[in-house]
Amino acid sequence: MELLAEFLTSDFLGKSAWLWFAFLGVVGALLAFDLGILHKQDKELGVGESLILSAFYIAIALVFGTWVWWSMGPTSGMEYFTGYALEKALSIDNVFVISLIFGYFAIPAKYQYRALLWGILAVLVLRGIMIGLGAALVQQYEWVLYIFGAFLIATGIKMLVMGESEQDVSKNPIVRFLSKRMRVSAELHGSHFFVRKLDPETGKLARFATPLFLALVVINIADLVFAVDSVPAIFAITTDTYIVFTANIMAILGLRALYFALAAMVHRFEYLKYALAIVLVFIGAKIFWNQIVGKVDPAISLGVTLSIIAGGVIFSLWKTRAAATDEAASHALTAPLPDSIGKRSSTRPAGED
């Protein structure tokens, strides 16, 4: 018992080991509850259910942030909330790419949530590795923060000036590599990632990957690419590895739930990417300010970040309100008539209006 107590209280990346195990335990419990109870059977997740589940994850993230504030101090609390808001906003940008991937592989909605949820397990490992490497670099070579800052400013300016290029999943090198190196079935097999079936070339049973597995791999590669922006951005807010990791993972957990609501209205957030670009420039510039002049008050950083993101969301919704109204009107005009109206019409005498 003494050895266990000593291990749990030992320092790991700046925090006691039990804090890391406690957080991973919370994440594991949420995944088990979500996958094993809420979505034990494959089904399409509606927009309403998506919003409710997302509100649940946001509430968990806010409760955790409140605990960080109470146990680690206001500075750590504000850094967590700033990092969470930033990572959440940056993660929203993933939705368009994820929807493209599912569309390319023709994955029905009822299988998408399970693939997204299993993808979290890989993201936990990938983000953990990237954050661990980033923390080691910052601790050993503090000047790396200047590189992070310059990278964020350059990325933000590029997003403002050039926008974002269209993604073509069929040209993705990972898709091409896996398609050539693995046996891939042409059709889905429910929620299975692998199946055993007759190989038409050999006539023997062989293991085939399904399109759902390829979609899962490509989604996680996309997560890794997006992490190249998000990890330096949150290290610009705080170098506390625990805050960086927990804010990242909490934002990702919530995104999976919110995906189905956002995917249906992603076109309404057309201008959010410009707000995110401004946030990246602000965070990058803040690194240089912190190192040369003095550390910016975390409350100011949180306020500016939330204001820019909220402004981008509100402006996007306002600018696209006409398109949303036209879409709703078009949907109403093309919607099928109720059965009762159709039946009344079909029983009228010929020639009657």
Side-chain angles (χ1 to χ4, degrees):
M1 291 296 292
E2 290 182 3
L3 289 175
L4 178 61
E6 184 178 348
F7 171 73
L8 292 176
T9 56
S10 61
D11 180 81
F12 180 72
L13 294 177
K15 289 290 185 292
S16 297
W18 73 268
L19 287 172
W20 294 95
F21 283 113
F23 177 74
L24 293 177
V26 170
V27 172
L30 287 172
L31 291 176
F33 175 72
D34 202 331
L35 185 60
I37 298 177
L38 292 181
H39 298 91
K40 191 172 184 179
Q41 296 180 343
D42 295 316
K43 64 175 182 177
E44 183 174 348
L45 192 67
V47 173
E49 187 179 358
S50 172
L51 291 173
I52 292 172
L53 190 57
S54 179
F56 167 74
Y57 275 113
I58 291 174
I60 294 293
L62 294 179
V63 169
F64 181 80
T66 303
W67 174 82
V68 169
W69 190 300
W70 173 77
S71 63
M72 301 180 189
T75 299
S76 294
M78 281 186 283
E79 289 175 345
Y80 168 83
F81 283 119
T82 305
Y84 174 75
L86 177 62
E87 293 300 322
K88 192 77 169 176
L90 289 173
S91 295
I92 291 175
D93 214 28
N94 298 17
V95 170
F96 179 66
V97 174
I98 293 174
S99 62
L100 278 179
I101 294 169
F102 280 141
Y104 174 77
F105 289 106
I107 307 297
K110 67 177 182 178
Y111 301 133
Q112 290 177 9
Y113 191 85
R114 184 173 289 263
L116 288 170
L117 198 57
W118 279 111
I120 292 176
L121 298 176
V123 171
L124 284 170
V125 177
L126 294 174
R127 287 289 175 103
I129 292 173
M130 290 193 69
I131 290 170
L133 290 174
L137 285 173
V138 170
Q139 187 176 10
Q140 191 73 22
Y141 310 103
E142 192 173 351
W143 52 265
V144 169
L145 287 172
Y146 288 105
I147 297 178
F148 285 174
F151 174 76
L152 293 175
I153 292 173
T155 301
I157 293 174
K158 180 182 177 182
M159 288 173 64
L160 284 171
V161 175
M162 301 179 60
E164 295 181 348
S165 58
E166 294 291 328
Q167 302 286 332
D168 188 349
V169 180
S170 64
K171 295 180 180 179
N172 187 293
I174 302 298
V175 174
R176 292 181 173 181
F177 176 82
L178 292 177
S179 298
K180 291 180 180 179
R181 299 295 189 277
M182 299 178 66
R183 296 185 180 93
V184 181
S185 64
E187 66 286 334
L188 286 168
H189 292 267
S191 60
H192 296 289
F193 294 123
F194 294 94
V195 292
R196 292 187 66 82
K197 54 183 291 188
L198 287 176
D199 188 337
E201 295 182 2
T202 63
K204 298 179 181 180
L205 279 176
R207 197 179 192 189
F208 282 75
T210 67
L212 188 62
F213 174 75
L214 293 188
L216 177 65
V217 172
V218 177
I219 285 172
N220 280 285
I221 296 297
D223 271 323
L224 189 59
V225 172
F226 281 114
V228 174
D229 288 339
S230 65
V231 171
I234 196 169
F235 267 113
I237 295 170
T238 176
T239 54
D240 186 326
T241 312
Y242 187 77
I243 301 297
V244 171
F245 182 75
T246 54
N248 253 276
I249 300 306
M250 282 296 185
I252 292 169
L253 285 173
L255 174 69
R256 307 297 172 163
L258 191 57
Y259 166 78
F260 293 93
L262 288 178
M265 54 184 296
V266 68
H267 58 285
R268 295 296 309 277
F269 297 97
E270 180 179 352
Y271 297 92
L272 178 60
K273 61 178 176 288
Y274 297 110
L276 295 178
I278 295 172
V279 169
L280 291 179
V281 173
F282 166 71
I283 296 297
K286 190 167 74 72
I287 289 182
F288 290 93
W289 184 276
N290 286 346
Q291 300 297 318
I292 298 172
V293 180
K295 189 169 184 180
V296 176
D297 189 330
I300 295 176
S301 182
L302 175 59
V304 172
T305 301
L306 290 177
S307 298
I308 295 173
I309 293 172
V313 171
I314 294 170
F315 185 75
S316 293
L317 294 176
W318 178 70
K319 288 290 287 184
T320 58
R321 68 192 187 284
T325 302
D326 293 343
E327 183 180 345
S330 175
H331 178 74
L333 290 173
T334 57
L337 293 172
D339 291 341
S340 57
I341 296 178
K343 289 177 181 178
R344 284 201 300 270
S345 299
S346 63
T347 55
R348 290 177 179 173
E352 185 175 307
D353 290 336

